[in-house]
Amino acid sequence: MATYKLRFFFDNIAGVCLWAGDTATMERFDYPVDLDMLPIPSDLSEAADSLIARWERHVYEERPWPPGDSLAVFAKDCRAFVGRLESALPDGYEIADELTARLMSAAEAAAGVPLARGWTPPSM
């Protein structure tokens, strides 16, 4: 059985959050991975669409965050999404979260407070 390697991050044009991490995955799903092609529940695909919309509106377009939302909340929601995705996918899928650590670092810097004690972001 092939192992499909997925990379989680956003770009500013494609409107997706998953990308192929190797040739086998790209041959199966293409480079930007359409979540509708994955064996996941539709509510998880809808959660991704919501994250993508928030990314485009508040990070890429730099619109203000609405009350109750922030970069820190968004980063935690991204982390939760990746966890849900990992749980939903069957064996044979791996996910590399290439974004959440950077978001957490940026949110910490903006707030001037560590958001996750003992958590160290990976080097870029």
Side-chain angles (χ1 to χ4, degrees):
M1 175 182 204
T3 297
Y4 298 116
K5 297 179 190 260
L6 302 170
R7 301 168 60 207
F8 174 77
F9 64 91
F10 300 100
D11 80 344
N12 298 330
I13 298 170
V16 299
C17 63
L18 289 178
W19 305 84
D22 65 359
T23 303
T25 306
M26 189 165 43
E27 288 173 354
R28 170 71 173 90
F29 298 104
D30 204 355
Y31 181 57
V33 176
D34 181 348
L35 274 86
D36 293 331
M37 293 180 69
L38 296 174
I40 59 173
S42 60
D43 68 317
L44 197 50
S45 184
E46 291 166 8
D49 291 341
S50 175
L51 287 174
I52 292 165
R54 287 166 67 198
W55 168 268
E56 290 173 349
R57 187 177 318 110
H58 303 296
V59 179
Y60 176 61
E61 294 176 8
E62 297 181 355
R63 289 185 180 162
W65 292 96
D69 203 358
S70 66
L71 184 59
V73 171
F74 179 71
K76 290 176 184 177
D77 290 349
C78 287
R79 180 177 284 167
F81 170 78
V82 170
R84 288 181 57 206
L85 186 60
E86 288 172 331
S87 295
L89 287 168
D91 290 341
Y93 287 84
E94 297 175 2
I95 303 172
D97 183 346
E98 298 182 12
L99 176 71
T100 305
R102 292 186 304 208
L103 290 175
M104 294 294 283
S105 291
E108 286 178 354
V113 196
L115 298 175
R117 302 244 182 256
W119 176 76
T120 305
S123 59
M124 301 289 160

